[in-house]
Amino acid sequence: MDTAASNGGKRTENGPSSPEGIAGQGFQSLTGFLKKIRRRRLLQNKFNADYAFVGMGSHSMNNLYPVIHYLHIPLKYVVVKSRETANLINANRSGLKATNDLEAVLNDKSVSGIFISANPDSHYELVKKCLLHGKHVFVEKPPCKTVDELKDLIDTEKKAGTICLAGLQKRYSSCVNILKKRLKVNDVISYSYRFLLGAYPDGNPLWDLYIHPLDLITFLFGETELLSLAETKPSPSASSLFLQTKHGKTIGSVEISTQYSWSQALEYLSINTGGGIYTLKNHQSLTFEPKSGTVLSIPKDKIFHAVPEKKCLFNGNNFLPVLENNQIVSQGYFSEIKTFASLCENGKSKNISSLSSLLATYELITKIEAYV
């Protein structure tokens, strides 16, 4: 006999009226509700001011413009060097005005914020000019090349009453965000940091590349005392720096290099704390391995032969193509740009890469420059 017929037409075995069926409907309703919230949050994400972008290099095209487009930030102008490039953009990009006239953009009162990602050697003058015209500024690293220039920009920012956010995206990465919340400075015993890349013939690796790891250690551990430094440089495009550092009671060992490979680039940070060891790899994974502690000064793992369970705090999942798993998000590009736009419009976000916060980084780089 049919089960539904014997129950007055109501199918109960794994059907809609069974506990399993009701639970399934509830789960589907919940997931649908959460998807609706995410969709609505994206559609309601709105920035009202106009913005301009100075520069159109490979980094900008691959990492910054996609985020600006995704967030629906109203980009009114793109400022480029040549009139020919401007004409090419205007012929192929509707709703966007390309120009080589920066002064005209600075005099447009509708423009609230300006993104700067040009030749690093021009950043200092560009940032200062934009700040003096009352524009908020997002500038790719480095905003300038000396401590004196940085202090000048800090003074200019204060006098103009504007905001400048430096594009040191590792401060905004998913892993660093978790680390910053969990680390207690007094609890950090030591760390080992390796930042390994391939040959770099394009510019100054200290300002173009090494500024990232050097800034990250000052961001996480504070002002840096440089205890020792050694360099190997077999060719003009390949070099390695080996640093012994100190932050209060914390001791660090740092290797930053362009003597490895771009196809197998590695960023590896191991932090030894009183409670356990944090391990960050390529800003795609972050783990914590707690220490077993001691009994009467005897390590517990020697007594009980227990292996501490490693906890996964973050793991980039390339299988699920959602926003949180995109490397533009996990590497910090998304958050830094969203933070800048929010600061321009309502000031509610926190600028964790302000010009004044970079002083410790610049002082460390200045010490290294004196050696190399």
Side-chain angles (χ1 to χ4, degrees):
M1 182 181 291
D2 182 73
T3 306
S6 64
N7 287 280
K10 297 180 180 179
R11 186 175 298 275
T12 57
E13 185 178 345
N14 294 326
S17 299
S18 69
E20 292 84 357
I22 294 172
Q25 288 178 338
F27 179 75
Q28 290 177 356
S29 298
L30 178 60
T31 55
F33 177 71
L34 293 175
K35 288 180 181 178
K36 185 176 181 181
I37 290 178
R38 286 196 295 267
R39 184 169 61 250
R40 183 177 297 174
R41 188 177 297 166
L42 176 61
L43 292 173
Q44 289 177 339
N45 188 41
K46 184 179 181 182
F47 297 101
N48 298 309
D50 285 327
Y51 294 81
F53 201 112
V54 179
M56 187 168 266
S58 175
H59 170 67
S60 304
M61 296 291 289
N62 290 322
N63 300 316
L64 305 183
Y65 280 107
V67 177
I68 291 171
H69 176 73
Y70 183 89
L71 289 171
H72 305 294
I73 295 174
L75 197 60
K76 188 174 182 178
Y77 299 100
V78 172
V79 182
V80 292
K81 285 184 178 180
S82 70
R83 187 68 229 170
E84 181 183 0
T85 303
N87 291 337
L88 182 64
I89 296 171
N90 287 328
N92 292 279
R93 295 288 187 273
S94 60
L96 180 66
K97 183 178 181 180
T99 178
N100 61 344
D101 187 355
L102 178 60
E103 291 295 332
V105 174
L106 293 176
N107 290 324
D108 186 337
K109 294 182 179 180
S110 72
V111 175
S112 175
I114 296 183
F115 296 90
I116 298 175
S117 183
N119 186 312
D121 291 335
S122 66
H123 280 182
Y124 168 66
E125 294 295 341
L126 286 170
V127 172
K128 187 169 183 177
K129 180 178 286 189
C130 292
L131 291 174
L132 288 173
H133 275 79
K135 308 299 184 184
H136 301 304
V137 175
F138 171 100
V139 57
E140 257 304 322
K141 54 78 188 166
C144 55
K145 290 291 186 71
T146 68
V147 173
D148 288 339
E149 287 181 348
L150 180 63
K151 289 180 177 178
D152 183 46
L153 290 180
I154 292 170
D155 289 340
T156 302
E157 181 186 27
K158 290 178 180 177
K159 291 175 183 176
T162 49
I163 297 168
C164 184
L165 184 149
L168 287 157
Q169 82 278 352
K170 293 186 187 297
R171 293 189 176 205
Y172 296 85
S173 85
S174 304
C175 291
V176 172
N177 183 42
I178 296 169
L179 262 179
K180 190 69 173 176
K181 291 177 181 178
R182 293 178 65 100
L183 284 180
K184 297 177 182 178
V185 176
N186 294 331
D187 190 44
V188 178
I189 300 169
S190 62
Y191 66 88
S192 176
Y193 193 2
R194 304 185 76 203
F195 185 83
L196 314 177
L197 307 173
Y200 187 70
D202 307 311
N204 185 338
L206 187 58
W207 287 104
D208 297 348
L209 305 175
Y210 298 162
I211 187 174
H212 283 299
L214 295 173
D215 178 70
L216 187 57
I217 64 174
T218 61
F219 180 64
L220 289 175
F221 309 116
E223 291 188 13
T224 308
E225 181 182 351
L226 187 58
L227 299 179
S228 67
L229 185 149
E231 180 187 25
T232 62
K233 193 170 184 178
S235 71
S237 62
S239 65
S240 294
L241 294 177
F242 301 88
L243 288 66
Q244 194 75 24
T245 58
K246 186 177 181 181
H247 315 259
K249 296 181 179 180
T250 302
I251 297 294
S253 174
V254 181
E255 178 187 3
I256 45 182
S257 177
T258 54
Q259 293 191 53
Y260 288 80
S261 165
W262 283 102
S263 61
Q264 297 183 46
L266 175 68
E267 183 171 9
Y268 183 89
L269 174 61
S270 177
I271 305 173
N272 181 25
T273 71
I277 300 168
Y278 292 93
T279 302
L280 179 152
K281 186 175 180 180
N282 290 346
H283 293 266
Q284 288 298 293
S285 70
L286 177 65
T287 61
F288 176 70
E289 186 173 336
K291 294 179 179 178
S292 59
T294 61
V295 176
L296 299 175
S297 298
I298 303 174
K300 289 182 181 178
D301 47 5
K302 280 194 172 184
I303 301 172
F304 304 108
H305 303 288
V307 178
E309 184 177 350
K310 187 177 291 187
K311 299 179 180 179
C312 178
L313 303 179
F314 180 86
N315 185 45
N317 185 347
N318 293 325
F319 181 78
L320 295 174
V322 296
L323 178 66
E324 292 79 8
N325 291 332
N326 193 301
Q327 286 194 17
I328 287 182
V329 176
S330 61
Q331 294 287 337
Y333 296 110
F334 183 89
S335 294
E336 66 176 1
I337 291 175
K338 185 176 182 181
T339 296
F340 173 67
S342 298
L343 286 168
C344 289
E345 308 232 352
N346 55 46
K348 292 181 180 180
S349 295
K350 185 177 180 181
N351 184 358
I352 60 173
S353 57
S354 64
L355 293 175
S356 58
S357 73
L358 305 186
L359 279 169
T361 299
Y362 271 66
E363 288 167 358
L364 175 58
I365 293 177
T366 301
K367 293 174 186 175
I368 294 173
E369 280 185 316
Y371 279 90
V372 302

